[in-house]
Structures are given as structure tokens and as C-alpha cells.
Amino acid sequence: MVAHWTRQALDAVEAHLSKEKETGRFCHGDAVTLADVCLASQVFGAKFFNVDTAPFPTVMRVFGECVKIDAFDRSQPLKQPDAPKTPPAH
């Protein structure tokens, strides 16, 4: 169920970003905004729940730029000391 809604969210973001003329290095130009924080959290969740992100090239390009920034990289949920090793059972 989580994977379904994660794909739905990423599909909507991909559709928006791929058509948006303002999409640059990040969601809205070349500076980080709250939109990038939200995008990163969606991708972190997708990775945790093993959602295929290949259908979302623009999302993944922006995500790749985000995680080049140390604060984004360090904030990854799976890098936290108390992070679960596997997704919770449904």
C-alpha cells in the first residue's frame, strides 16, 4: 500500500517538474527550497520501501543534486542511529 501511494506522489511530482520551465538544478531554479526538502523525503521513503524510481528521471536528477549537499545526505533516515534495517510489516 505504501509503495502504491509513493509511486502516485512521485508520478505527480515528475509530471510537474518535467513541464515546469523554472525547474533547474533543483525543483525551482538553482537554489534549494522547501520543495526540494519535500522531494528528498519522498525519495528517501521510496528507497526504503523498494519503489522503482527509474520512471521518475527528473525527480531523481533533482534528488541527486540534493544529496550532494551534506545536510541532505546526513539527514537520510537510514543513516540515523536508530534507523530500522527493514520496512515495517504491513
Side-chain angles (χ1 to χ4, degrees):
M1 179 69 81
V2 172
H4 167 79
W5 293 112
T6 299
R7 280 190 297 275
Q8 293 285 68
L10 291 176
D11 191 43
V13 174
E14 179 68 27
H16 178 76
L17 292 180
S18 65
K19 293 177 186 174
E20 181 64 44
K21 292 182 191 316
E22 293 179 13
T23 301
R25 182 173 171 215
F26 298 102
C27 289
H28 298 287
D30 293 330
V32 173
T33 66
L34 182 57
D36 301 295
V37 174
C38 295
L39 177 137
S41 66
Q42 283 293 315
V43 175
F44 289 144
K47 289 180 174 289
F48 185 71
F49 288 101
N50 297 311
V51 173
D52 179 16
T53 56
F56 314 109
T58 308
V59 167
M60 295 311 295
R61 180 189 57 74
V62 172
F63 176 75
E65 291 296 320
C66 290
V67 295
K68 289 179 185 175
I69 298 169
D70 187 55
F72 276 93
D73 185 54
R74 286 184 292 119
S75 73
Q76 293 186 51
L78 294 179
K79 288 190 173 185
Q80 304 311 307
D82 60 346
K85 300 300 178 205
T86 59
H90 301 335

